[in-house]
Structure formats: C-alpha cells, structure tokens
Amino acid sequence: REEPLLLYRWTASSMTSTVDRRTLLQARAAAFERRVLSDPRWATFTVWGAGRDGKAFVAALSAAARSRVVALADINPRKVGELYTNHRLRGSDGALLPPFTLPVVHTRDIRGPVAVCVSLRRAEEGGEGEIQRVARGLGLVEGET
C-alpha cells in the first residue's frame, strides 16, 4: 500500500497566514516537482482546475515540468473545449517567455495522473459536492498517486 506523498494542515497560527500566496505556490510547485514528478508514472499529467488555482499552479512549474502537462480539466461547461494560453509568463530573470497553450477537457476525460487544484469549499453544506462525486467516479483517492 502506498502512503500519501504530502499532507497539509492549516491552523490559525500557521505561517501560511502571513506568507504571500504566490510565495507559497512557488514552494508547493517545487515540492511537487521533487516529490511527485520524479516518479516515472508522472511522465505526463493533467491539472484538474482551469480556474485561478490550476492556471497559477501550471505557471509556477518549471519549464520542464510544465511541458509534461497535457491538459487542464474542469467540470464547468463554459471552460471545457476552450484553449488556455498564458501570454504573461516570465522567467527567473523577468524576461517574457513564449506563451504556452493547453486544452481544457472535461474531468471525465482525464487519463493518467492528475494534480487536483480545485477548492473543496464548493461542497454543499454537510454533503458531498460535485468535485468529490467526480473524483469518486474517476476512482481517485485523496493523498494517493
């Protein structure tokens, strides 16, 4: 049985309350590259979340890791079928990088590994939300690769 790669718990006294969101994202993306993308099963992967968090996660990845992302996935019918292009990505020296484009597919079309970058706060009060239902339908288990 595999163990979770990374568990994250927030409390009111956590440093995450005082550190800029972008700084945390850079640290999380770097940890994801070290801990997850070193596994050969992650030669290519999908990022679930075509909103702010998914797009920011992809942008925070190194160019080598970003090239392994095959698509963004979402359950929102307005996003599915669109192309996402980032024209504002900058390198470590601040120079503008060439844009990259990813298709947005429906979550039911995810194949292979997936990095989930969506908020679970969208669940209905006291029940299972759409995100959890879709994840269960895909056979995904939180904390497992």
Side-chain angles (χ1 to χ4, degrees):
R1 174 157 159 71
E2 294 183 27
E3 295 296 318
L5 294 172
L6 178 66
L7 297 177
Y8 178 78
R9 180 171 295 144
W10 181 87
T11 66
S13 61
S14 295
M15 284 295 295
T16 57
S17 299
T18 60
V19 178
D20 179 69
R21 177 175 52 89
R22 289 178 296 272
T23 302
L24 286 173
L25 179 59
Q26 289 294 330
R28 289 178 182 145
F32 180 79
E33 289 186 39
R34 283 190 318 274
R35 295 178 177 187
V36 178
L37 295 185
S38 58
D39 185 327
R41 294 175 292 178
W42 285 76
T44 61
F45 65 101
T46 299
V47 172
W48 180 351
R52 180 196 73 186
D53 295 341
K55 292 173 183 177
F57 176 73
V58 172
L61 294 171
S62 67
R66 196 177 316 111
S67 71
R68 296 161 62 175
V69 179
V70 295
L72 295 172
D74 212 282
I75 59 175
N76 185 333
R78 291 183 309 232
K79 295 177 183 178
V80 173
E82 297 293 319
L83 291 175
Y84 165 67
T85 302
N86 185 323
H87 295 279
R88 299 181 305 256
L89 193 63
R90 295 191 177 271
S92 57
D93 62 356
L96 198 58
L97 297 175
F100 68 90
T101 299
L102 293 169
V104 179
V105 300
H106 195 280
T107 51
R108 70 176 162 262
D109 298 323
I110 293 173
R111 301 292 178 264
V114 58
V116 181
C117 297
V118 293
S119 172
L120 296 180
R121 289 180 292 220
R122 295 182 184 154
E124 291 97 25
E125 185 73 27
E128 182 180 59
E130 180 68 12
I131 293 166
Q132 290 89 345
R133 281 192 292 276
V134 172
R136 188 172 28 82
L138 290 170
L140 300 175
V141 177
E142 186 175 353
E144 293 188 8
T145 59

